[in-house]
Amino acid sequence: MTAIASISVLAGCGPWSDGASGDGKTITVGTTSAPSTLDPAASWDGSWELFRNVFQTLLSYPRGASAPEPDAAELCKFSDDSNRTYACTLREGLKFSNGDTLDAKAVKYTFDRIMKIDVPGGPKGLLGSLASVEARGDRDIVFNLNKPDATFPFVLATPAMSIVDPGHYPADALRKDGKVTGSGPYSLKSYEEGKRAELVKNSRYQGFANRKNDAVTIRYFQDSTTMVDALKSKKIDVTFRGLSSEDIVNLQSNDSKDGLQLVEGAGTEISYLVFNPKDPWANKLAVRKAVAQVIDRSAIAHKVYKDTVDPLYSMVPSGLAGHTTGFFDDYGTPSASKARDLLEADGITERVPLVLWFTTDRYGSATAPEFAEIKRQLEASGLFTVTLKSRPWKTYEAGYRKGEYPVFGRGWFPDFPDPENFIAPFVGEQNALGTPYPAREITAELLPQSRQESDRAAVIGDFQRAQKILVDDARLLPLWQGKQYVAASDDISGGERALDPSTIMMMWELNRKTSW
């Protein structure tokens, strides 16, 4: 690969912080994370990247904010002492991009629609505490909760709660014409599935976003190499999501003059395995524990990801309150002999056949080598026979929601920066994985208890206990925690400002420098 220079590894400082004003020309962003849907009522995944830029939510994250602040709303707050009634007042004169009125009735319609359509594994799973929504006049909305929920403002700030136009989104079905009608900073001018989305400034937008460009084109790539080649050849200006470890290392270490820069930041992306209890082998606790005892996370991080990720030993990543190292505490270093003891104690003496599934085009080109390494580790123990299977994301997602995969890989970018969001989405009869996981103590005791507490530092003990339960069940097996990398041409600024606390890119922060 051609060496790359003028590379800066940054954390909120340096040339990306240049204050020069942009010239308004279209900025092209490359990513390997294409939307699975254009309808917010169907999405609890990376489609949010697009939604954040073309839709609006009542609350969101202005640059530098770590807690939700008003966006389509001008004011939101709990109106009682028990965290069970949450009220918002909309900005005056809000319009959708087509000129239709965005009022309290449209907001109520949006939430009622999510609840009614109830897409399997969809955003209704985030609204477990919502009992009803009231529209009071044109601008006031009241959310009545069925239980205390201090995290509800965080839920409202997720792109899953994007406000839609009642005139263009059916009340009881998903929109299927391939178009978007929102009130966000941009309008969707055109969309070609799996290839590109063209965004232009929404002239009717009212919100906190200070748009530093007039238009953004998002190009969707199948792999990192092709994406980086497009960056080097000036066909795109910025890359985000899906950079391979090899490309990142290359960008970090080379010093010729290709006019590129790299931003590195802390991340809360995690990768993990899911065991499906419908499968007779994955349903056995001894099998799951034996896999946990064999997996060598450090080898995966080093050999496959070149240390651009860190080993993860709990579903709650480092950097969030309540993070633990439960899988390391319980299993220590990888050991085939200890794994054999676990299996034999359950009467299992033959090699365990496991089928592991992964997606080919969602989490970057290192996913296939990662699963090849997992297969190598498990089979080298002499305890497992592993078959690897894969699909593109769109069919892969449909498959795991139907419960087709015995063991499958998932990545998770947080809905909001709170430890709850690394536990609650994965448990319960209906969850983001499409694989029921009752976990009664977590769902009936620990989560409800923590949601009564607005001071999130006060619930660390609840989340530590929840993580211990997840370790004991071994239904979810954390593998690694990622960092955030954005590569761009030297004439682009704003990259270090463009990621919100959920690491979703706010495209409006990017601009092209016109002076040095």
Side-chain angles (χ1 to χ4, degrees):
M1 181 175 291
T2 303
I4 293 178
S6 188
I7 299 296
S8 304
V9 180
L10 309 171
C13 59
W16 282 63
S17 300
D18 191 294
S21 61
D23 60 7
K25 292 182 179 178
T26 299
I27 290 177
T28 303
V29 178
T31 176
T32 62
S33 182
S36 63
T37 177
L38 294 183
D39 193 327
S43 172
W44 197 351
D45 62 18
S47 304
W48 291 7
E49 199 91 61
L50 178 62
F51 295 171
R52 175 64 78 211
N53 291 278
V54 296
F55 290 103
Q56 218 174 355
T57 45
L58 290 170
L59 299 166
S60 192
Y61 296 94
R63 177 162 58 94
S66 58
E69 297 182 15
D71 186 5
E74 68 175 22
L75 175 67
C76 287
K77 63 179 182 179
F78 280 105
S79 56
D80 66 340
D81 294 331
S82 63
N83 292 340
R84 294 186 61 163
T85 305
Y86 197 74
C88 292
T89 300
L90 293 173
R91 295 175 185 261
E92 289 190 43
L94 288 176
K95 300 284 185 183
F96 290 102
S97 58
N98 62 356
D100 289 351
T101 298
L102 195 170
D103 56 13
K105 291 180 181 178
V107 175
K108 173 177 167 57
Y109 182 92
T110 294
F111 285 84
D112 289 345
R113 179 174 181 265
I114 292 171
M115 302 295 282
K116 185 171 186 178
I117 296 176
D118 190 12
V119 173
K124 182 180 177 180
L126 285 166
L127 296 172
S129 62
L130 181 61
S132 64
V133 185
E134 300 176 50
R136 297 181 179 176
D138 293 334
R139 296 175 57 206
D140 293 322
I141 306 103
V142 176
F143 297 92
N144 300 303
L145 308 184
N146 52 36
K147 52 193 172 186
D149 188 357
T151 70
F152 192 71
F154 291 92
V155 172
L156 291 183
T158 67
M161 306 304 143
S162 296
I163 304 167
V164 300
D165 185 345
H168 292 275
Y169 290 81
D172 57 359
L174 297 177
R175 183 173 180 174
K176 297 180 180 179
D177 63 0
K179 297 181 180 180
V180 163
T181 309
S183 60
Y186 298 96
S187 299
L188 184 63
K189 180 181 178 181
S190 67
Y191 180 74
E192 193 173 358
E193 185 175 339
K195 294 184 178 180
R196 71 176 59 228
E198 294 186 0
L199 315 183
V200 296
K201 262 187 179 180
N202 174 12
S203 61
R204 294 186 171 92
Y205 170 70
Q206 292 187 61
F208 67 79
N210 177 17
R211 292 165 292 185
K212 297 179 174 63
N213 57 66
D214 291 332
V216 173
T217 294
I218 306 172
R219 285 188 55 191
Y220 301 111
F221 292 85
Q222 293 296 311
D223 59 79
S224 175
T225 299
T226 307
M227 185 167 65
V228 171
D229 286 346
L231 179 66
K232 290 160 58 179
S233 61
K234 308 299 183 184
K235 293 177 181 177
I236 62 175
D237 301 301
V238 183
T239 66
F240 180 56
R241 293 222 197 281
L243 283 171
S244 72
S245 55
E246 290 81 1
D247 285 325
I248 292 169
V249 170
N250 185 279
L251 289 167
Q252 289 172 329
S253 62
N254 289 287
D255 59 0
S256 67
K257 295 184 178 179
D258 278 351
L260 300 179
Q261 54 182 311
L262 183 72
V263 168
E264 176 184 328
T268 50
E269 169 195 3
I270 68 170
S271 177
Y272 57 99
L273 295 178
V274 182
F275 291 86
N276 185 347
K278 291 182 180 179
D279 179 77
W281 287 107
N283 186 44
K284 295 180 181 293
L285 179 59
V287 169
R288 301 196 300 268
K289 287 190 170 185
V291 173
Q293 184 63 71
V294 169
I295 289 291
D296 187 340
R297 296 166 178 82
S298 294
I300 294 171
H302 181 68
K303 292 171 61 176
V304 179
Y305 289 96
K306 315 300 181 186
D307 299 316
T308 60
V309 304
D310 294 320
L312 182 64
Y313 297 94
S314 171
M315 291 298 288
V316 176
S318 173
L320 290 183
H323 164 73
T324 68
T325 55
F327 277 92
F328 183 82
D329 298 341
D330 278 23
Y331 296 96
T333 57
S335 170
S337 62
K338 290 181 180 178
R340 179 175 287 105
D341 291 342
L342 289 167
L343 292 172
E344 290 180 350
D346 197 45
I348 301 170
T349 56
E350 72 273 28
R351 276 182 175 252
V352 175
L354 288 179
V355 181
L356 272 60
W357 281 83
F358 63 93
T359 178
T360 57
D361 60 352
R362 188 62 172 180
Y363 306 120
S365 54
T367 306
E370 174 185 356
F371 274 75
E373 172 62 16
I374 292 172
K375 172 183 169 72
R376 186 199 67 77
Q377 291 180 10
L378 292 176
E379 292 191 334
S381 71
L383 304 174
F384 301 92
T385 300
V386 177
T387 301
L388 297 182
K389 294 189 177 183
S390 62
R391 286 175 176 171
W393 174 255
K394 198 153 191 177
T395 52
Y396 180 78
E397 180 191 33
Y400 74 66
R401 294 201 189 286
K402 294 176 183 177
E404 295 179 1
Y405 311 146
V407 185
F408 61 97
R410 273 296 313 264
W412 185 254
F413 299 96
D415 304 321
F416 49 85
D418 188 275
E420 160 152 333
N421 196 235
F422 289 88
I423 294 175
F426 312 130
V427 296
E429 294 296 336
Q430 184 183 57
N431 59 49
L433 303 173
T435 304
Y437 181 10
R440 301 296 182 194
E441 183 179 349
I442 297 177
T443 58
E445 298 178 30
L446 297 173
L447 289 177
Q449 189 171 291
S450 71
R451 287 167 179 163
Q452 297 182 48
E453 182 56 68
S454 296
D455 179 3
R456 304 308 288 161
V459 297
I460 287 176
D462 293 330
F463 290 115
Q464 290 175 335
R465 171 59 187 157
Q467 288 170 88
K468 176 58 177 170
I469 293 170
L470 297 182
V471 171
D472 290 344
D473 290 345
R475 283 273 305 270
L476 307 168
L477 187 64
L479 297 173
W480 52 259
Q481 175 177 348
K483 304 171 186 177
Q484 291 302 318
Y485 296 93
V486 179
S489 299
D490 265 342
D491 65 341
I492 299 295
S493 65
E496 84 291 345
R497 301 188 303 267
L499 303 184
D500 76 6
S502 298
T503 68
I504 293 174
M505 182 169 276
M506 303 178 290
M507 305 293 180
W508 59 85
E509 290 289 352
L510 302 173
N511 73 288
R512 198 178 305 279
K513 302 172 185 176
T514 56
S515 64
W516 296 88

